[in-house]
């Protein structure tokens, strides 16, 4: 699985869009990008994943650059409950199994 | 539908004892993975079971073991507990390969 790089922390004003970047410059063509978040002492929560195309669901949007070397998770209207650690993970479908390798993530603080 | 259920939520054990943690996956999910989370090491993959077989194992000593039953419920066991085993133990279930994983709330183990 390709390695990811994320900023250690970010702030965002409540009601504004939170844009969380992730660098995965060594990603392979068949590797997926996943995003999870973890609110203090709870289990990680799945947010979204994608391969090449941009994806959107009820929680967030995932924008993947054309060369796939980086991506951005967008929370369109951040609320205080979005304060959490956000993990960007790259996974290869050639790996048997469903293990996820979490890095250190980005600690997002939503400010009132 | 019901999420991933982990029991117990909290546990205090003494050094040298053993402990068994339980995980009930989402109905229909056949893959169950286990993770250890500590402040120093972050989230680390322990092992994954699929259809009662261990498919992958992380870099943990043999004191950590697990199993999966025919109904997909899983247990993990830690023998000869050490202080460093104090952690949040998380279980995740997946429907199939390369799909998103859904995490339980975890079991907080404290070894004294």
């Amino acid at each position: 699985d390709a390695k990811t790089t994320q900023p250690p922390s970010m702030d965002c004003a409540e009601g504004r869009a939170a844009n969380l970047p992730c660098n995965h410059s060594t990603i392979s063509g068949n590797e997926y990008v996943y995003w999870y978040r973890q609110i203090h002492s709870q289990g990680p929560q799945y947010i979204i994943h994608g391969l090449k195309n941009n994806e959107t669901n009820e929680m967030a949007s995932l924008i993947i650059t054309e060369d796939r070397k980086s991506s951005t998770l967008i929370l369109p209207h951040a609320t205080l409950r979005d304060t959490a650690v956000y993990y960007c993970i790259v996974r290869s479908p050639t790996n048997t199994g469903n293990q996820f390798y979490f890095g250190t993530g980005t600690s997002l603080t939503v400010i009132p | 539908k019901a999420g991933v259920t982990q029991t117990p939520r909290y546990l205090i054990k003494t050094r040298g004892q053993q402990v068994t943690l339980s995980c009930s996956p989402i109905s229909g999910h056949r893959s169950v993975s286990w993770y250890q989370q500590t402040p120093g090491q972050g989230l680390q993959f322990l092992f994954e079971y699929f259809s009662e077989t261990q498919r992958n194992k992380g870099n943990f000593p043999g004191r950590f073991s697990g199993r999966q039953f025919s109904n997909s419920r899983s247990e993990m066991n830690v023998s000869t507990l050490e202080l460093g085993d104090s952690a949040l133990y998380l279980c995740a279930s997946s429907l199939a390969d390369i799909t998103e994983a859904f995490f339980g709330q975890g079991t907080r183990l404290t070894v004294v």
Side-chain angles (χ1 to χ4, degrees):
Chain A
D1 297 337
K3 186 175 172 57
T4 63
T5 304
Q6 299 177 252
S9 64
M10 291 181 63
D11 292 337
C12 177
E14 188 178 17
R16 304 295 295 269
N19 296 283
L20 292 94
C22 179
N23 182 288
H24 32 78
S25 58
T26 60
I27 194 170
S28 300
N30 63 351
E31 290 183 316
Y32 288 77
V33 180
Y34 284 75
W35 284 84
Y36 279 80
R37 73 181 182 184
Q38 187 175 26
I39 297 169
H40 183 63
S41 292
Q42 297 182 21
Q45 178 188 22
Y46 167 79
I47 302 173
I48 199 166
H49 75 282
L51 181 63
K52 296 179 182 177
N53 300 321
N54 297 337
E55 302 287 343
T56 296
N57 63 21
E58 64 278 5
M59 286 184 68
S61 294
L62 173 60
I63 307 299
I64 303 174
T65 57
E66 195 170 336
D67 63 7
R68 302 187 69 243
K69 293 183 185 301
S70 65
S71 61
T72 301
L73 177 74
I74 301 173
L75 307 178
H77 305 287
T79 71
L80 298 179
R81 287 180 294 183
D82 292 322
T83 293
V85 177
Y86 287 77
Y87 296 97
C88 169
I89 303 162
V90 171
R91 289 188 66 225
S92 170
T94 59
N95 282 340
T96 56
N98 281 305
Q99 66 272 30
F100 285 83
Y101 291 97
F102 291 80
T104 53
T106 296
S107 178
L108 173 70
T109 301
V110 179
I111 302 168
Chain B
K1 59 183 176 182
V4 178
T5 304
Q6 291 187 247
T7 56
R9 289 294 310 278
Y10 302 92
L11 205 50
I12 299 175
K13 289 285 188 178
T14 305
R15 271 183 303 174
Q17 287 186 313
Q18 72 150 16
V19 67
T20 299
L21 311 181
S22 179
C23 173
S24 293
I26 292 172
S27 178
H29 286 194
R30 290 162 51 187
S31 167
V32 174
S33 303
W34 288 89
Y35 295 80
Q36 181 196 64
Q37 186 170 29
T38 61
Q41 299 296 322
L43 266 160
Q44 293 187 286
F45 170 74
L46 277 158
F47 30 65
E48 187 228 1
Y49 288 87
F50 186 89
S51 294
E52 302 179 65
T53 301
Q54 186 182 88
R55 277 204 298 198
N56 291 282
K57 191 177 191 318
N59 188 25
F60 278 82
R63 300 185 297 107
F64 292 81
S65 64
R67 59 178 175 169
Q68 186 180 33
F69 301 96
S70 58
N71 62 358
S72 293
R73 190 177 70 85
S74 178
E75 289 180 347
M76 70 162 280
N77 185 278
V78 187
S79 63
T80 319
L81 283 165
E82 302 175 0
L83 295 179
D85 297 333
S86 295
L88 179 66
Y89 290 88
L90 292 156
C91 161
S93 77
S94 303
L95 182 60
D97 286 351
I98 210 65
T99 58
E100 58 270 33
F102 296 91
F103 284 78
Q105 293 295 79
T107 294
R108 172 77 60 187
L109 171 66
T110 302
V111 182
V112 297

